[in-house]
Every structure is written in structure tokens, then in C-alpha cells.
Amino acid sequence: MRGGLTESGPTRPDLAPVRGIFQAASTAVVVLAALALFVSACATGGTGTRDEGPAHAVAGVDASPSVMPSALAAPRLDRKGAVALLKSDPKVSAAVKRDLEPCGTDQYPVDLFYGDLTGGPADDVVVNVVTCADLLGVGSYVYREEGGSYQNVFHAEEPPVYAEIDRGDLVVTKQVYEKGDAVSEPSGENVTTYRWVSGRFAAVYRTHSDYSDVVGKDPAPVPDS
């Protein structure tokens, strides 16, 4: 019960002793009911509430009650903070930094993903820089929190490139263009999966896909015999 028991109606001094006894009794009933629910949940192996699939941790909150957030934890980045971080990072090229201008009113051309990639005490952050005109990825970066600040532990600046988090791995996609391809119609893509091993990202899978030229086209007519 949030904030304790509440009462409505006018105050009647002559009923104060009775009301005090009723409130104490009600509190005892609530405590006993909560204790019974807790014991029942422990006995059945449940959570005490309706099970509706796996629980999802709230972003920025550690799901383990035994792990307390560090008092020196770096503040969680938003798009504006990510842009400031990229501009101050010597590992980010001057060409990418020139693209870090708002596309509109405070609409910075960056995408952010949070997740556990490196096994650190806080979530890592993946930052993708894209162009305003066609959302083409021009740079992908991974930042790990160390000592209250973010450290660049991965970067790829061969456009078009885009990085995401997939089940604890870093997945980097690079679209492949052949001569004459439009920006919106690449010929294929190269996908590399990286995993954090011995303090660095190591490539563990590489795949290449060619986009079919047949999809979306009408079948060729059959000549008359």
C-alpha cells in the first residue's frame, strides 16, 4: 500500500481511539496477507505474481540486486551527448566529425544502442553516425564505460556501415555497391560478427549476401512458337 492507509470523511474526535485500533488491525491484516503471499510464492517456486514470459530489465537499471551502481558511473548518453563525445574523440575522423551537425531542430544524425558487449559494470553503447539526406552510415563506434568515462573500444569508418547488438555480439553490416548502383539499391552486403575476447573485439563470423536482381521484376515473356 503506497503511502500507508488513507481515510476519508470528517474527523470525529470521539472516534479517534476506535479508529486507531481499526487502523492497527488493518495494518496487521495487510502484513499477514503479504507474508502469506510471499511464503506461497517460495513454496511453489514462483514469483508471487502472474508469469508472463521472461522479465526484462529496465534500461539503465542492473537486474541483479546484489550489484550496486557505481557512484562514478558515467551519465547515460542521449543523442546530443553522443555527438559531444564523438567530437572530442581523437579516434573519430575529421570527415565524420564534419557530419555531426543537426539535420533539423536538435535532430542529430546518430543512432544509439545500449547493451552488454564487453562484460563491464555498465552497459556499453553503440553509436552510429548517418547522413541526414539518405541515412547512409558513415561511422560506427562502441564505447565502454571505464572509471566514470566512455572509452572508444571499436570503430569502423568505411561507409556505408552500421553496427548493432545481437545477443551480446557486435554485428557490423557494410552494404556493397557495384558501378551504377543507386544509394537506395546496393548489390549486396557483408556482415561481420564480433565478440569481446581478451579485452578486444575479434571477428568470429563473416557472411556475404547478394541481393537478388529477380525479386520485384516481371517474368520475361515467352516467345510465340
Side-chain angles (χ1 to χ4, degrees):
M1 299 181 65
R2 182 175 299 178
L5 297 175
T6 58
E7 302 176 12
S8 59
T11 302
R12 298 179 181 179
D14 56 329
L15 296 180
V18 176
R19 187 166 57 251
I21 296 173
F22 176 78
Q23 183 174 0
S26 299
T27 302
V29 170
V30 171
V31 171
L32 290 175
L35 180 59
L37 180 61
F38 175 78
V39 172
S40 175
C42 292
T44 60
T47 60
T49 59
R50 180 181 177 185
D51 292 329
E52 298 182 354
H56 298 280
V58 178
V61 179
D62 196 316
S64 173
S66 62
V67 179
M68 299 299 293
S70 171
L72 299 177
R76 199 169 182 86
L77 293 174
D78 56 11
R79 282 185 168 86
K80 190 173 182 179
V83 168
L85 177 62
L86 291 167
K87 286 184 175 181
S88 65
D89 187 351
K91 293 184 178 180
V92 178
S93 68
V96 171
K97 289 179 179 180
R98 285 195 296 269
D99 287 332
L100 294 173
E101 297 297 333
C103 300
T105 305
D106 294 331
Q107 297 297 320
Y108 289 94
V110 295
D111 289 335
L112 305 178
F113 298 98
Y114 277 91
D116 183 10
L117 287 170
T118 67
D123 280 345
D124 305 296
V125 57
V126 175
V127 183
N128 289 292
V129 180
V130 300
T131 59
C132 292
D134 47 28
L135 302 180
L136 187 72
V138 296
S140 298
Y141 311 87
V142 177
Y143 288 94
R144 170 185 166 94
E145 184 182 335
E146 296 179 2
S149 63
Y150 288 106
Q151 304 297 321
N152 187 329
V153 292
F154 178 90
H155 64 281
E157 296 182 334
E158 297 177 5
V161 60
Y162 200 84
E164 298 175 281
I165 299 173
D166 183 13
R167 291 169 291 186
D169 291 334
L170 175 67
V171 179
V172 179
T173 301
K174 293 184 179 181
Q175 292 179 324
V176 178
Y177 289 87
E178 294 181 358
K179 186 176 181 180
D181 287 345
V183 173
S184 59
E185 297 180 357
S187 297
E189 66 180 20
N190 294 324
V191 179
T192 305
T193 300
Y194 295 89
R195 190 166 295 161
W196 187 256
V197 180
S198 301
R200 59 184 293 272
F201 282 104
V204 292
Y205 304 109
R206 298 182 190 273
T207 61
H208 173 78
S209 300
D210 288 318
Y211 299 152
S212 174
D213 293 332
V214 179
V215 176
K217 290 188 176 181
D218 295 329
V222 178
D224 296 333
S225 56

